[in-house]
Amino acid sequence: MSQQYPPQTQQPGYGEPQQPGSNGLATTALVLGIIAVVVSFIPVVNVVVWPLAILGLIFGAIGLSKAGKVRKGKGAGITGLITSAVAIIMFFAMNALFFSAVDKASEELDKSYDSTTVGDGKSKTGGAKDSEVMKDFKVTKCDVVTGDFDIKEMAVHVEYVNKGDRRYSYLVEGEVLADGKKVGDFMSTAENLAKGQKFTDKDAGALVNADEIKDAKKLECKTIEASRTDF
């Protein structure tokens, strides 16, 4: 008589492959990292890279740690970490290139528009010997003349020589002083002078009260501001 054994019952899940769990943090890190990399190529706007990349690094690290338990999301976590780090590097690189280009453009603009302001009162033509603009002109006449109806008026002549490497237009503004006291202003212009071209402005506008200059012993024309613009 054979011995009977009770049938063995299989435990639920015993011998069956365990299904991997979810790892949403790793996926989130991947998405944030990709967005951060794309945005990092846009200067100034790419400031939003910082919150995106920081969250990508945090979620990527947590997701990568969780991947060992749930057996899912390891690749997404690693990619999220890498893309977030790359986005931060690209942020600095793109902004450095952008601001370098802005500085270069600003320097080029400064070269095309040279200007200087002088106010020391020590030089008849305004001083500033090291200024390229000031080297291109000088006041050659600053006197009282007799105009129509025997009226005393101010005559200011400005002589220009374009010493630059291209065409320039000039604007010169200054003050008229009688015996050391300011009595008026003058302004002179020279338009579109070619390289090496000379021009004398004999009609520099001078706003001066005739009564203040007719008896002056010493007249001076002091340059206050001078500028030139290229073409």
Side-chain angles (χ1 to χ4, degrees):
M1 184 175 181
S2 61
Q3 186 177 359
Q4 298 293 325
Y5 294 96
Q8 296 181 355
T9 58
Q10 186 175 359
Q11 296 295 329
Y14 180 80
E16 295 179 0
Q18 185 178 0
Q19 295 297 322
S22 62
N23 196 344
L25 290 177
T27 304
T28 302
L30 174 61
V31 174
L32 290 174
I34 293 174
I35 295 175
V37 168
V38 173
V39 177
S40 68
F41 285 90
I42 308 174
V44 181
V45 178
N46 61 7
V47 68
V48 300
V49 160
W50 284 103
L52 293 174
I54 290 174
L55 289 175
L57 290 172
I58 294 173
F59 291 161
I62 298 174
L64 187 60
S65 176
K66 186 179 178 182
K69 298 178 182 179
V70 300
R71 297 192 297 132
K72 186 177 182 181
K74 181 177 180 181
I78 293 174
T79 306
L81 288 171
I82 294 174
T83 51
S84 296
V86 169
I88 293 175
I89 295 173
M90 291 304 301
F91 168 83
F92 288 108
M94 294 305 298
N95 280 304
L97 290 174
F98 173 74
F99 288 111
S100 176
V102 170
D103 289 341
K104 185 176 181 180
S106 178
E107 290 176 1
E108 291 297 325
L109 183 62
D110 289 341
K111 289 180 180 179
S112 65
Y113 186 84
D114 300 322
S115 65
T116 182
T117 302
V118 181
D120 56 12
K122 296 179 181 179
S123 173
K124 186 174 181 178
T125 58
K129 295 181 180 179
D130 57 343
S131 168
E132 293 299 322
V133 182
M134 297 305 247
K135 294 177 181 179
D136 287 6
F137 74 91
K138 63 180 178 180
V139 177
T140 57
K141 186 173 184 178
C142 182
D143 295 319
V144 177
V145 297
T146 302
D148 297 335
F149 307 105
D150 293 329
I151 297 176
K152 299 293 184 180
E153 58 186 34
M154 193 71 201
V156 180
H157 295 180
V158 182
E159 182 180 283
Y160 296 87
V161 180
N162 183 357
K163 299 178 181 179
D165 58 354
R166 67 197 79 177
R167 286 184 173 273
Y168 283 109
S169 286
Y170 296 84
L171 172 63
V172 175
E173 298 175 79
E175 297 177 342
V176 178
L177 290 84
D179 297 328
K181 178 184 176 182
K182 179 182 176 181
V183 294
D185 301 284
F186 74 89
M187 184 176 69
S188 172
T189 60
E191 300 292 334
N192 196 19
L193 299 186
K195 177 182 178 181
Q197 183 178 352
K198 297 181 180 181
F199 170 75
T200 300
D201 179 14
K202 297 182 179 180
D203 297 312
L207 300 176
V208 180
N209 188 323
D211 293 334
E212 295 183 279
I213 61 174
K214 64 180 181 179
D215 297 322
K217 297 179 180 179
K218 182 181 179 182
L219 287 174
E220 294 178 277
C221 294
K222 183 181 70 172
T223 301
I224 299 301
E225 185 173 348
S227 63
R228 69 183 184 184
T229 308
D230 73 344
F231 290 84

